[in-house]
Amino acid sequence: MIPTVLPTYNRAPLAFIKGEGSWLLAEDGRRYLDLGAGIAVNALGHAHPELVQALTDQAAKLWHVSNIYIIPEQQLLADMLVDRTFADSVFFTNSGTEAAELAIKMARKFHFDAGQPDRSEIIAFEGAFHGRSTGAIAAAGSEKMVKGFGPLMPGFTHLKWPGNDQGHDAIRAAITNQTCAVMIEPIQGEGGIRMVPVQCLKGLRDLCDSTGTLLIFDEVQCGMGRTGRLFAHEWAGVSPDIMMVAKGIGGGFPLGAVLATERAASGMTAGTHGSTYGGNPLGCAVGAKVTGIVSDPAFLAEVARKAALFRQGLESLVARHPQVFEAVRGEGLMLGLKCKPAPGDVVKAGYAAGVLTVAAADNVLRLLPALNIPDEDIAEALTRLDQAASTLHQTA
Ligand SMILES: Cc1ncc(COP(=O)(O)O)c(C=O)c1O
């Protein structure tokens, strides 16, 4: 008999009843150190007092009004994002996949309005993940996500991950007079914490500029302070035309956004897009609080300091357990451990040791802790990961 909850997830046999900072309390009374943070969602940990306050204050005032009215909390958050980024304008969604939908629509509409309706093709990359809507799965294009769901939305070209010179040449060769945009995660999350080299992001920007192609960055996972900059692309000193944001921006409340330059957004006039819940007062009140906290340069410097501390510990972990781990990768607190066994087995060993991590493609274990994880919890995380790794080579 089919479960009452549609069985689309491979769930771990764990149910949590309370969260505090980097810790989760399970139904059976065990405490787990959370290095997954809801897959990069709980940017400030669980039950952060300022976020709880922002949410409950807003809940006592007003939960929902339609986007047919002005929503002051939305206006405030949009102003904050515009003030802190390349963007001139923001549309709010409830999720990353909805942000992908709008990014695709916005890019196509831009060229349509410029009198080039044939420029509808979007270049995306192997290993990418942009969400689970039909547009987002067509964009990512992996067999695992698209099989059985055809016919897929046309208009996507898939290239190999562009981590080297050949990758760059391949992008150059793939851009034609029908190319609308290039869509890329500066650091692939689901794809296994794979970083696009800074040189490549710069080259991509140049290529897009010289061909009139729009550049879309998907910073749903790597954005909102995760790498020690507000957005990961800032490390490369280039900015996109359109950017997708979600996960961390709501700190656990469902919220996403598309940020764009005035030029890229020029086609999105009244009536061209909308959402019932996107940009609701609750989400935006929390989002403004998160954005205020994580964009503070002192907070970002702390993320970088904690990341260096964690990384150093992870390097020794790799050295101590060469049968289990091969290398550390990533930037800031978006870290990956390349594993020798299947990462799912390492995740399970972590459950037994009371530490939560997340598997990704490319045999990688993801570590995406709260950005404000205390130093003592980093030390405890390393101890628990060490325990988990030890049990794995005992059984190997
Ligand atoms: C890079 C990236 N883009 C888009 C998405 C989709 O976001 P959501 O699950 O909120 O729809 C995700 C989710 O994991 C993601 O990591």
Side-chain angles (χ1 to χ4, degrees):
M1 209 166 65
I2 191 165
T4 52
V5 175
L6 195 72
T8 59
Y9 299 102
N10 278 316
R11 295 178 196 266
L14 290 171
F16 300 105
I17 52 170
K18 192 169 167 33
E20 195 179 1
S22 296
W23 293 89
L24 280 169
L25 178 68
E27 265 179 345
D28 64 2
R30 268 195 96 193
R31 288 175 84 230
Y32 291 81
L33 185 46
D34 184 7
L35 302 183
I39 318 191
V41 167
N42 302 101
L44 296 174
H46 300 279
H48 187 283
E50 289 183 64
L51 301 195
V52 173
Q53 190 74 51
L55 184 66
T56 48
D57 284 354
Q58 187 58 45
K61 284 193 287 191
L62 182 64
W63 287 25
H64 176 79
V65 282
S66 167
N67 275 307
I68 59 178
Y69 307 108
I70 293 165
I71 300 179
E73 296 76 19
Q74 194 181 115
Q75 185 62 56
L76 170 71
L77 180 53
D79 290 348
M80 289 175 78
L81 291 167
V82 165
D83 191 45
R84 288 159 172 77
T85 67
F86 71 95
D88 302 310
S89 197
V90 184
F91 182 94
F92 291 103
T93 66
N94 307 287
S95 67
T97 201
E98 287 170 73
E101 290 299 314
L102 173 56
I104 295 164
K105 284 176 70 176
M106 184 184 281
R108 289 183 173 168
K109 186 69 162 38
F110 170 82
H111 293 293
F112 180 89
D113 285 1
Q116 297 183 297
D118 292 340
R119 287 195 79 159
S120 59
E121 196 74 22
I122 295 176
I123 294 177
F125 297 90
E126 165 261 322
F129 185 80
H130 301 298
R132 295 292 194 151
S133 60
T134 50
I137 62 172
S142 79
E143 160 132 15
K144 190 175 111 192
M145 273 188 285
V146 304
K147 196 170 172 200
F149 297 115
L152 292 179
M153 182 196 288
F156 294 94
T157 302
H158 297 103
L159 301 183
K160 284 209 177 325
W161 181 243
N164 52 33
D165 289 347
Q166 290 95 324
H168 199 72
D169 292 343
I171 303 172
R172 182 179 288 113
I175 293 181
T176 68
N177 56 8
Q178 306 211 323
T179 305
C180 163
V182 174
M183 182 187 262
I184 191 164
E185 293 154 84
I187 306 177
Q188 279 191 349
E190 306 301 307
I193 314 292
R194 291 200 293 176
M195 299 173 56
V196 184
V198 159
Q199 271 319 102
C200 185
L201 286 179
K202 287 185 202 289
L204 205 47
R205 179 69 272 177
D206 290 344
L207 213 49
C208 285
D209 285 342
S210 62
T211 55
T213 305
L214 294 175
L215 183 55
I216 305 171
F217 285 159
D218 180 345
E219 293 231 16
V220 166
Q221 196 161 145
C222 62
M224 292 308 291
R226 181 127 305 267
T227 65
R229 303 292 285 264
L230 184 55
F231 289 103
H233 68 259
E234 293 172 21
W235 291 107
V238 296
S239 53
D241 301 290
I242 300 171
M243 178 167 71
M244 295 142 60
V245 179
K247 290 188 179 278
I249 191 171
F253 196 92
L255 179 65
V258 173
L259 278 64
T261 61
E262 181 166 12
R263 180 171 167 269
S266 57
M268 302 309 295
T269 50
T272 54
H273 198 63
S275 166
T276 294
Y277 292 121
N280 67 79
L282 288 171
C284 289
V286 179
K289 186 52 80 179
V290 173
T291 302
I293 293 174
V294 305
S295 62
D296 180 344
F299 180 90
L300 291 168
E302 267 295 280
V303 173
R305 188 192 60 77
K306 287 172 188 294
L309 185 71
F310 199 12
R311 195 177 185 118
Q312 200 182 22
L314 291 173
E315 297 286 359
S316 352
L317 189 74
V318 172
R320 271 201 307 285
H321 299 284
Q323 308 91 318
V324 182
F325 300 122
E326 274 177 44
V328 186
R329 48 165 87 160
E331 182 73 61
L333 288 173
M334 183 165 184
L335 292 163
L337 284 169
K338 176 89 172 167
C339 298
K340 287 195 177 152
D345 291 344
V346 189
V347 171
K348 278 194 196 130
Y351 294 151
V355 62
L356 306 179
T357 57
V358 187
D362 207 23
N363 244 53
V364 163
L365 185 76
R366 266 179 294 177
L367 309 169
L368 309 157
L371 303 180
N372 56 355
I373 182 171
D375 289 5
E376 56 272 25
D377 288 352
I378 294 178
E380 184 62 30
L382 290 164
T383 305
R384 291 182 184 218
L385 289 170
D386 194 69
Q387 274 168 21
S390 302
T391 57
L392 278 170
H393 46 89
Q394 275 155 20
T395 54

Short mmCIF file of all heavy atoms in Angstrom, two decimals, residues 39-41 94-100 128-133 136 185 187-190 218-222 244-247 255-256 334 366, ligand 1:
data_model
loop_
_atom_site.label_atom_id
_atom_site.label_comp_id
_atom_site.label_asym_id
_atom_site.label_seq_id
_atom_site.Cartn_x
_atom_site.Cartn_y
_atom_site.Cartn_z
N ILE A 39 20.08 21.23 4.46
CA ILE A 39 20.79 21.44 3.18
C ILE A 39 20.95 22.95 2.90
O ILE A 39 20.38 23.51 1.99
CB ILE A 39 20.15 20.67 1.99
CG1 ILE A 39 19.75 19.25 2.43
CG2 ILE A 39 21.14 20.64 0.81
CD1 ILE A 39 19.35 18.30 1.30
N ALA A 40 21.74 23.54 3.76
CA ALA A 40 22.13 24.96 3.61
C ALA A 40 20.98 25.95 3.79
O ALA A 40 21.02 27.06 3.27
CB ALA A 40 22.82 25.20 2.26
N VAL A 41 19.96 25.53 4.53
CA VAL A 41 18.80 26.40 4.74
C VAL A 41 18.89 27.17 6.08
O VAL A 41 18.73 28.39 6.11
CB VAL A 41 17.50 25.58 4.69
CG1 VAL A 41 16.32 26.40 5.20
CG2 VAL A 41 17.24 25.12 3.26
N ASN A 94 8.91 31.37 -3.35
CA ASN A 94 8.88 30.57 -2.12
C ASN A 94 9.97 29.51 -2.10
O ASN A 94 10.12 28.80 -1.12
CB ASN A 94 7.54 29.86 -1.99
CG ASN A 94 6.39 30.82 -2.11
OD1 ASN A 94 6.15 31.58 -1.20
ND2 ASN A 94 5.72 30.81 -3.24
N SER A 95 10.69 29.36 -3.21
CA SER A 95 11.65 28.25 -3.31
C SER A 95 12.66 28.53 -4.40
O SER A 95 12.50 29.47 -5.20
CB SER A 95 10.89 26.96 -3.67
OG SER A 95 10.38 27.09 -4.98
N GLY A 96 13.68 27.68 -4.44
CA GLY A 96 14.70 27.81 -5.46
C GLY A 96 14.19 27.44 -6.84
O GLY A 96 14.54 28.08 -7.84
N THR A 97 13.36 26.41 -6.90
CA THR A 97 12.89 25.99 -8.22
C THR A 97 12.01 27.06 -8.86
O THR A 97 12.05 27.27 -10.07
CB THR A 97 12.20 24.60 -8.14
OG1 THR A 97 12.18 24.02 -9.42
CG2 THR A 97 10.80 24.67 -7.60
N GLU A 98 11.25 27.78 -8.03
CA GLU A 98 10.45 28.88 -8.59
C GLU A 98 11.36 30.01 -9.07
O GLU A 98 11.02 30.72 -10.02
CB GLU A 98 9.50 29.43 -7.53
CG GLU A 98 8.34 28.54 -7.21
CD GLU A 98 7.61 29.07 -5.98
OE1 GLU A 98 6.93 30.09 -6.08
OE2 GLU A 98 7.77 28.46 -4.91
N ALA A 99 12.48 30.17 -8.39
CA ALA A 99 13.44 31.18 -8.84
C ALA A 99 14.02 30.77 -10.20
O ALA A 99 14.21 31.60 -11.09
CB ALA A 99 14.55 31.36 -7.80
N ALA A 100 14.26 29.47 -10.38
CA ALA A 100 14.76 28.98 -11.67
C ALA A 100 13.76 29.27 -12.78
O ALA A 100 14.12 29.73 -13.87
CB ALA A 100 15.05 27.48 -11.59
N ALA A 128 24.55 19.84 -12.73
CA ALA A 128 23.84 20.97 -12.15
C ALA A 128 22.56 20.50 -11.46
O ALA A 128 22.01 19.45 -11.77
CB ALA A 128 23.47 21.97 -13.24
N PHE A 129 22.11 21.32 -10.52
CA PHE A 129 20.78 21.11 -9.92
C PHE A 129 20.13 22.46 -9.77
O PHE A 129 20.67 23.35 -9.12
CB PHE A 129 20.91 20.42 -8.55
CG PHE A 129 19.57 20.08 -7.97
CD1 PHE A 129 18.88 18.96 -8.40
CD2 PHE A 129 18.97 20.90 -7.02
CE1 PHE A 129 17.62 18.64 -7.88
CE2 PHE A 129 17.71 20.60 -6.49
CZ PHE A 129 17.05 19.47 -6.93
N HIS A 130 18.96 22.62 -10.40
CA HIS A 130 18.26 23.90 -10.31
C HIS A 130 16.86 23.76 -9.73
O HIS A 130 16.09 24.72 -9.73
CB HIS A 130 18.20 24.56 -11.68
CG HIS A 130 19.55 24.81 -12.29
ND1 HIS A 130 20.48 25.65 -11.70
CD2 HIS A 130 20.14 24.32 -13.40
CE1 HIS A 130 21.59 25.67 -12.45
NE2 HIS A 130 21.41 24.87 -13.48
N GLY A 131 16.50 22.56 -9.27
CA GLY A 131 15.18 22.37 -8.69
C GLY A 131 14.43 21.27 -9.41
O GLY A 131 14.99 20.58 -10.29
N ARG A 132 13.14 21.09 -9.05
CA ARG A 132 12.38 19.93 -9.55
C ARG A 132 11.16 20.30 -10.39
O ARG A 132 10.35 19.42 -10.69
CB ARG A 132 11.92 19.10 -8.35
CG ARG A 132 13.06 18.47 -7.58
CD ARG A 132 13.76 17.40 -8.38
NE ARG A 132 14.61 16.61 -7.50
CZ ARG A 132 14.92 15.34 -7.71
NH1 ARG A 132 14.49 14.73 -8.79
NH2 ARG A 132 15.69 14.70 -6.87
N SER A 133 10.97 21.57 -10.70
CA SER A 133 9.88 21.92 -11.62
C SER A 133 10.26 21.40 -13.00
O SER A 133 11.43 21.06 -13.24
CB SER A 133 9.71 23.44 -11.66
OG SER A 133 10.92 24.01 -12.11
N ALA A 136 13.08 23.43 -14.39
CA ALA A 136 14.36 23.25 -13.70
C ALA A 136 14.98 21.89 -14.01
O ALA A 136 16.20 21.78 -14.14
CB ALA A 136 14.17 23.43 -12.19
N GLU A 185 25.80 27.27 -11.48
CA GLU A 185 26.05 27.44 -10.04
C GLU A 185 27.54 27.75 -9.87
O GLU A 185 28.38 26.94 -10.28
CB GLU A 185 25.78 26.13 -9.29
CG GLU A 185 24.35 25.66 -9.25
CD GLU A 185 24.29 24.13 -9.09
OE1 GLU A 185 24.37 23.66 -7.95
OE2 GLU A 185 24.17 23.41 -10.09
N ILE A 187 29.26 27.37 -7.35
CA ILE A 187 29.73 26.13 -6.71
C ILE A 187 28.57 25.15 -6.77
O ILE A 187 27.50 25.42 -6.22
CB ILE A 187 30.13 26.33 -5.24
CG1 ILE A 187 31.16 27.45 -5.09
CG2 ILE A 187 30.67 25.02 -4.65
CD1 ILE A 187 31.55 27.76 -3.64
N GLN A 188 28.78 24.03 -7.45
CA GLN A 188 27.71 23.04 -7.50
C GLN A 188 27.53 22.41 -6.12
O GLN A 188 28.51 21.98 -5.50
CB GLN A 188 28.05 21.93 -8.48
CG GLN A 188 27.75 22.28 -9.91
CD GLN A 188 27.85 21.08 -10.84
OE1 GLN A 188 28.34 20.01 -10.47
NE2 GLN A 188 27.39 21.26 -12.06
N GLY A 189 26.28 22.35 -5.68
CA GLY A 189 25.98 21.72 -4.40
C GLY A 189 25.68 20.24 -4.56
O GLY A 189 26.50 19.38 -4.22
N GLU A 190 24.52 19.95 -5.13
CA GLU A 190 24.12 18.54 -5.33
C GLU A 190 25.15 17.82 -6.19
O GLU A 190 25.36 16.62 -6.05
CB GLU A 190 22.74 18.46 -6.03
CG GLU A 190 21.63 19.23 -5.36
CD GLU A 190 21.37 18.81 -3.94
OE1 GLU A 190 21.17 17.60 -3.72
OE2 GLU A 190 21.38 19.67 -3.04
N ASP A 218 23.11 30.61 -10.31
CA ASP A 218 22.23 29.96 -9.33
C ASP A 218 22.99 29.92 -8.01
O ASP A 218 23.89 29.10 -7.82
CB ASP A 218 21.88 28.54 -9.81
CG ASP A 218 20.97 27.82 -8.82
OD1 ASP A 218 20.86 28.27 -7.67
OD2 ASP A 218 20.39 26.78 -9.21
N GLU A 219 22.62 30.83 -7.12
CA GLU A 219 23.28 30.88 -5.80
C GLU A 219 22.32 30.42 -4.70
O GLU A 219 22.37 30.86 -3.56
CB GLU A 219 23.82 32.29 -5.52
CG GLU A 219 24.96 32.67 -6.44
CD GLU A 219 26.19 33.19 -5.69
OE1 GLU A 219 26.29 32.97 -4.47
OE2 GLU A 219 27.05 33.80 -6.35
N VAL A 220 21.41 29.52 -5.09
CA VAL A 220 20.44 29.01 -4.12
C VAL A 220 21.15 28.32 -2.95
O VAL A 220 20.78 28.52 -1.80
CB VAL A 220 19.45 28.04 -4.82
CG1 VAL A 220 18.64 27.23 -3.81
CG2 VAL A 220 18.51 28.82 -5.74
N GLN A 221 22.20 27.56 -3.26
CA GLN A 221 22.90 26.84 -2.19
C GLN A 221 24.16 27.58 -1.73
O GLN A 221 24.48 27.59 -0.54
CB GLN A 221 23.25 25.42 -2.67
CG GLN A 221 23.63 24.50 -1.54
CD GLN A 221 23.52 23.01 -1.87
OE1 GLN A 221 24.31 22.23 -1.39
NE2 GLN A 221 22.56 22.60 -2.67
N CYS A 222 24.88 28.20 -2.66
CA CYS A 222 26.18 28.78 -2.29
C CYS A 222 26.09 30.24 -1.85
O CYS A 222 27.10 30.81 -1.41
CB CYS A 222 27.18 28.62 -3.45
SG CYS A 222 26.71 29.47 -4.96
N MET A 244 19.61 33.57 -8.96
CA MET A 244 18.60 32.84 -8.20
C MET A 244 19.11 32.68 -6.77
O MET A 244 20.25 32.29 -6.56
CB MET A 244 18.40 31.45 -8.78
CG MET A 244 17.84 31.45 -10.18
SD MET A 244 18.58 30.15 -11.20
CE MET A 244 18.12 28.69 -10.29
N VAL A 245 18.22 32.94 -5.83
CA VAL A 245 18.55 32.84 -4.40
C VAL A 245 17.40 32.09 -3.72
O VAL A 245 16.25 32.21 -4.15
CB VAL A 245 18.67 34.27 -3.78
CG1 VAL A 245 18.97 34.20 -2.29
CG2 VAL A 245 19.74 35.08 -4.49
N ALA A 246 17.68 31.31 -2.70
CA ALA A 246 16.62 30.70 -1.86
C ALA A 246 17.31 30.17 -0.61
O ALA A 246 18.26 30.78 -0.12
CB ALA A 246 15.85 29.62 -2.61
N LYS A 247 16.87 29.02 -0.12
CA LYS A 247 17.47 28.35 1.04
C LYS A 247 17.82 29.34 2.17
O LYS A 247 16.94 29.78 2.89
CB LYS A 247 18.70 27.54 0.62
CG LYS A 247 18.33 26.30 -0.21
CD LYS A 247 19.53 25.43 -0.45
CE LYS A 247 19.24 24.18 -1.24
NZ LYS A 247 18.70 23.06 -0.48
N LEU A 255 11.46 30.84 1.40
CA LEU A 255 11.63 32.13 0.73
C LEU A 255 12.69 31.98 -0.35
O LEU A 255 13.71 31.32 -0.13
CB LEU A 255 12.08 33.20 1.75
CG LEU A 255 12.32 34.61 1.21
CD1 LEU A 255 11.03 35.23 0.69
CD2 LEU A 255 12.91 35.52 2.30
N GLY A 256 12.45 32.57 -1.49
CA GLY A 256 13.43 32.59 -2.56
C GLY A 256 13.35 33.93 -3.26
O GLY A 256 12.47 34.75 -2.95
N MET A 334 30.80 25.90 2.89
CA MET A 334 30.21 24.99 1.91
C MET A 334 31.31 23.98 1.59
O MET A 334 32.09 24.15 0.65
CB MET A 334 29.80 25.76 0.66
CG MET A 334 29.10 24.90 -0.37
SD MET A 334 28.26 25.93 -1.58
CE MET A 334 27.44 24.66 -2.56
N ARG A 366 28.65 16.23 2.03
CA ARG A 366 28.56 17.68 2.20
C ARG A 366 28.49 18.09 3.66
O ARG A 366 27.77 17.46 4.45
CB ARG A 366 27.30 18.22 1.51
CG ARG A 366 27.55 18.69 0.12
CD ARG A 366 26.27 19.17 -0.51
NE ARG A 366 25.31 18.10 -0.71
CZ ARG A 366 24.09 18.27 -1.19
NH1 ARG A 366 23.68 19.49 -1.48
NH2 ARG A 366 23.28 17.25 -1.39
C1 LIG B 1 21.68 25.21 -6.58
C2 LIG B 1 20.22 24.90 -6.35
N1 LIG B 1 19.30 25.45 -7.16
C3 LIG B 1 18.00 25.24 -6.98
C4 LIG B 1 17.54 24.42 -5.97
C5 LIG B 1 16.08 24.19 -5.80
O1 LIG B 1 15.62 24.80 -4.65
P1 LIG B 1 14.24 24.35 -3.96
O2 LIG B 1 14.45 22.97 -3.43
O3 LIG B 1 14.01 25.38 -2.90
O4 LIG B 1 13.19 24.38 -5.00
C6 LIG B 1 18.46 23.83 -5.11
C7 LIG B 1 18.01 22.92 -4.04
O5 LIG B 1 18.75 22.10 -3.54
C8 LIG B 1 19.84 24.07 -5.30
O6 LIG B 1 20.77 23.52 -4.51
#
